[in-house]
Amino acid sequence: MIEARRLHILRAVADHRTVTAAAAALYLTPSAVSQQLTALEQETGHRLVERGAKGVRLTPAGEILLGHTNAVLAQLERAEAELAAYGSGEAGTVTVAAFATGIAQVVAPAVARLADTAPGIRIRVQDAEGDASLPMVLDRQVDVAVAVEYRGAPPADDPRLTHVPLYAEPFDAVVPVGHRLADSAEVPLADLAKDAWIGPYPGNPCHEVVVLACESAGFEPRLEHSSDDFRAVVALASAGAGVALVPRSALNGMDLTRVIVRPVDGVAPTRRVFAAVRRGAEGHPLIRPVLEALGRAAQEA
């Protein structure tokens, strides 16, 4: 008989590629993870992982079991959801990981709405960049992620997750007052090819959006200043340090007196935001109202 907790460990090893990283995500020791993998191999009668200099990879038998693991764990999430519904499940805590502007745009309004519509649900919010929250959901560190689509992200049909689209927003060009394009109604990105740029660090999904947009316009941006905080990005642009692309919602409430904000000429780069939960958990009586409240907040934003 295969133990479900060992399937969690197998998936964590497959996701993180090393025993040490999987152990850290699961709050276990590396030796405990190795012992559980050995036990799982004994239960199945197959070698499931191979260790090498670059980490751990699944064997063909491990890949077969991983496919079933995703289905089994999703079904267990559904079972928990139905049992919680049977027992009413109207009170409890849901942890949501989201990036800063996502918190302002949809999470905070959802928290306010739930205080009225589902007062028994307590929301705990954690600030996490758009590419960090999905692993947190898969590792069961949080219940819901508000994340951003990015290259390499789990796709919408990933068997481990259920995606709920929330909103899409364009990036606007931000240039210093007095910039040569300040009087333009729209800013062609190609005309900024020789400027110094300000933007998020590599690894941040917004960094990728900026770089891909500039590449599509025929150039590689010369990123001289880096910050994941868009207030810092705008402050640097205000100081004349360079130009930037900033998601429109991130500009809300900022001091824009020393910058010019203009739409991008042509097809604007876009940030697509979604909520994600472990597949099967979307029907949980605590999680379902949270997803509905996030969706309503996105519609009203």
Side-chain angles (χ1 to χ4, degrees), residues 168-186:
E169 62 175 331
F171 283 63
D172 288 326
V174 178
V175 302
V177 169
H179 189 274
R180 63 186 182 282
L181 298 178
D183 293 333
S184 301
E186 296 181 332

Side-chain angles (χ1 to χ4, degrees), residues 253-266:
M254 287 195 192
D255 179 4
L256 303 176
T257 55
R258 298 182 64 189
V259 295
I260 301 297
V261 179
R262 292 288 185 265
V264 173
D265 184 31

Side-chain angles (χ1 to χ4, degrees), residues 82 122 154 214 265 278 299:
E82 289 189 19
R122 177 173 175 260
C214 293
D265 184 31
R278 291 180 295 277
Q299 291 174 1

